Amino acid sequence: MPRTLPDAPFGRAETRVVLLEGISASAAGLFAAAGYTDIQRHAKALEGAALVDAVRGAHIIGIRSRTQLSSAVLAGAGPLIAVGCFCIGTDQVDLQAARALGIPVFNAPFSNTRSVAELTIGEIVMLLRRITPRSADAHGGGWDKSAQGSFEVRGKVLGIVGYGNIGSQLSTMAEAMGMRVIYYDRTNKLRHGNTESVPTLADLLRQSDVVSLHVPDLPSTRGMIGADEIAAMRPGAYLINNSRGRVVDLDALAAALRAGRLAGAAVDVFPTEPKSAGERFATPLQGLPNVILTPHIGGSTEEAQERIGEEVAHKLLDFLDSGSTGGAVNFPHVEQPRSPGQPRFLHVHRNVPGVLGQINAVFSQIGLNVSAQVLQTEGDLGYVMVDVERRPTGRSATLAALCDIEGTIRARALD
Ligand code: NAI
C-alpha cells in the first residue's frame, strides 16, 4: 500500500522519536536542539506487547543491539520512516522487511574503533608482562617478583590481520610504543607510518610476536585461525581476537595454550555469547593462565556510546531534513544538498521500468519545473529525490499523484 508521510521539517513537534535501550543522551540532545519535542526515551530493551506499544505512532525508532524489530513490529509502527541502530550490528532488525516498507536503517559502524584499538594496546602490555596470572596470585596473597616470561613491547613484532579502521589505528599506537608493525589485508591498503604489509597470512604468522585480528565476520574469515595457523605462529607468541567470535577455532587455541605453544591470548568475542547478563558464559579458554577473557566490551566505552549517539542521530536528522540515505544499510544511497527555497519530493518505489517517467509526468502536468533529480536503484528498490522550483499549490494532491504511480512504496514532501 502506498503511504504518504508527514512533512518532517514542518511537523517537528508532531514527529515522534522513540529511543530504547538507554541510548546516549547525546542523541536526544541533538533531536531536541533540532526542534523535535516528542522524544520518548526508554532505559531498557522492550519486547512483545510492550515493544509494540512503545513504538506505536513513532516516526523514528532508535535501538541498540537487544531490541528485535521484526517485520510485524515494523509494520505495526504506523508512520515509521526510519530506524537508527545505535550500535554496529543491524541483524536485530528485519532489514528486508524494512526495505520493503521503504524504511531506511542506519547504524554507526566507526564510532567505537578507537576503543577497540586502545583495549588491544592495553592487552598487548598485559599479556607480555603476564599481569593477569600475577594479579590473581597477588590477590590470593602471592608475591611472585620473577622477571622470567615478562617482556617489554618495544622491538616486538605486532602482526595485524585486517588493516581497516581498527587495525590501522592500532598500528599507529603500537608504533608509538616502539613495536614493529606488519599487516595482512586481502585488499591493498594505504600503510600508516613505518608499517609494512606482508603478502600472505602465513608470512604474518611466521614473523609476528603478537598477532591481533581485526577482520569482519565473513565466510572467508570464519575459522581463519585454526590449528594449522596456530602451528604456523612463532613458539611463545600471543594471539588477540577482538574482532568476531567465529574467526578463531577456540579449541585449537586452548590446546596450543595448554601445550605452552603460545604464551598467552586475549579474547573479547566468542562464537556463542550469552544473550543476557544472567546467562552463563562458557568457553574452552576458561581457567587457562595468561588468558584475558572479556565479555565483548572492545567497543564499550562511554566515549564510544556518546559518539554513536551523535553519529546515528546526525544520520537520522539528515534523513528527516533532506531525505539523505547516505550510510543506510538496507537502502540505495542518495545524497543531494538542499537548495534554499526549493521544495523536495522523495519517492521510494519498486525498481520497475517507467517509474521515473511517471514521476516527471506528475510535475510536468502541473507545470512545475524540476530543478534537480537524483535516482538510485539497488536490487528491487528505487529511491528518487526531486527538487522543484517552487511549492506546488496543491501539494497534497501532488503527493497523492506520486503515490498513485504503480510500484510506489512511499512518498514524502519536504519544504
Ligand atoms: P573494517 O571494515 O574497517 O576493516 C576490516 C578489514 O579486514 C578491511 O580492511 C578488510 O579488507 C579486511 N579483511 C576482510 N576480509 C579479510 C580477509 N579474509 N583477509 C584479510 N583481511 C580481510 O572493520 P573495523 O571497523 O576495523 O572492524 C574490524 C572488526 O572488529 C569487525 O569484525 C568488527 O565487527 C569488529 N569490532 C569488534 C568490536 C568489539 O566490541 N570487540 C567493536 C567494533 C568492531
Side-chain angles (χ1 to χ4, degrees):
M1 267 293 285
R3 296 201 272 181
T4 53
L5 295 160
D7 309 325
F10 284 91
R12 290 180 186 210
E14 295 82 43
T15 302
R16 174 165 296 174
V17 180
V18 176
L19 304 175
L20 295 132
E21 299 191 58
I23 287 167
S24 170
S26 60
L30 282 172
F31 276 105
Y36 293 86
T37 48
D38 187 357
I39 305 167
Q40 305 191 355
R41 297 177 70 195
H42 298 258
K44 297 246 154 43
L46 298 174
E47 53 185 340
L51 176 60
V52 171
D53 278 353
V55 300
R56 188 174 296 120
H59 300 92
I60 298 289
I61 300 176
I63 58 168
R64 289 172 65 191
S65 53
R66 292 238 169 96
T67 305
Q68 301 294 317
L69 292 184
S70 63
S71 56
V73 174
L74 291 167
L80 182 64
I81 60 169
V83 169
C85 294
F86 288 73
C87 52
I88 315 289
T90 50
D91 50 7
Q92 68 281 36
V93 181
D94 187 332
L95 294 177
Q96 282 310 321
R99 190 180 152 89
L101 290 165
I103 297 168
V105 177
F106 299 92
N107 67 341
F110 309 124
S111 294
N112 63 3
T113 54
R114 173 75 187 195
S115 304
V116 181
E118 283 191 13
L119 175 70
T120 308
I121 286 288
E123 288 172 339
I124 293 171
V125 177
M126 301 278 275
L127 287 172
L128 268 69
R129 299 294 292 271
R130 300 181 54 77
I131 297 299
T132 323
R134 284 164 150 210
S135 171
D137 185 49
H139 275 283
W143 193 250
D144 171 14
K145 279 173 64 71
S146 157
Q148 202 179 355
S150 290
F151 304 99
E152 291 182 348
V153 300
R154 181 168 52 175
K156 303 295 180 297
V157 179
L158 170 63
I160 297 175
V161 183
Y163 199 64
N165 293 297
I166 297 173
S168 54
Q169 280 197 63
L170 172 63
S171 79
T172 305
M173 288 190 259
E175 283 201 326
M177 297 202 308
M179 297 189 83
R180 188 163 90 72
V181 182
I182 56 175
Y183 68 88
Y184 166 68
D185 198 291
R186 68 171 176 178
T187 57
N188 199 8
K189 292 279 171 169
L190 176 72
R191 70 193 182 106
H192 295 246
N194 297 317
T195 310
E196 282 170 33
S197 70
V198 291
T200 67
L201 178 61
D203 288 314
L204 181 132
L205 298 172
R206 192 166 37 78
Q207 294 178 41
S208 304
D209 298 302
V210 181
V211 173
S212 194
L213 308 172
H214 300 285
V215 287
D217 181 32
L218 297 172
S220 65
T221 60
R222 283 176 206 146
M224 186 180 204
I225 304 293
D228 290 347
E229 288 73 25
I230 291 169
M233 289 172 68
R234 284 184 171 178
Y238 305 81
L239 180 68
I240 299 177
N241 185 17
N242 291 335
S243 63
R244 281 293 177 257
R246 292 189 284 186
V247 176
V248 179
D249 176 345
L250 292 185
D251 290 315
L253 175 58
L257 289 161
R258 237 181 263 114
R261 180 68 180 68
L262 295 188
V267 182
D268 185 48
V269 288
F270 301 85
T272 316
E273 297 180 357
K275 298 261 180 302
S276 66
E279 204 177 303
R280 185 141 182 83
F281 164 61
T283 168
L285 302 175
Q286 277 160 336
L288 294 173
N290 211 23
V291 173
I292 301 172
L293 297 180
T294 45
H296 202 149
I297 45 139
S300 304
T301 60
E302 297 201 6
E303 290 88 345
Q305 288 309 318
E306 202 177 307
R307 274 193 301 270
I308 287 172
E310 287 167 7
E311 183 179 338
V312 180
H314 276 303
K315 287 178 182 172
L316 291 168
L317 284 165
D318 202 16
F319 176 68
L320 283 165
D321 285 348
S322 72
S324 165
T325 49
V329 297
N330 65 337
F331 227 73
H333 288 186
V334 177
E335 290 175 86
Q336 167 84 357
R338 295 294 311 264
S339 299
Q342 299 208 332
R344 173 168 288 181
F345 287 85
L346 309 170
H347 190 268
V348 185
H349 51 267
R350 290 201 309 278
N351 184 16
V352 289
V355 175
L356 197 58
Q358 292 181 69
I359 290 173
N360 288 334
V362 167
F363 295 110
S364 75
Q365 270 159 22
I366 54 171
L368 198 53
N369 201 21
V370 170
S371 48
Q373 190 172 57
V374 188
L375 165 74
Q376 200 60 253
T377 59
E378 190 188 282
D380 57 357
L381 200 67
Y383 181 41
V384 63
M385 270 179 192
V386 185
D387 288 353
V388 290
E389 63 180 5
R390 61 176 166 78
R391 195 182 205 272
T393 334
R395 190 168 70 150
S396 306
T398 310
L399 256 186
L402 288 173
C403 285
D404 281 344
I405 295 170
E406 180 67 28
T408 298
I409 296 174
R410 60 201 314 170
R412 186 156 67 103
L414 308 174
D415 268 325

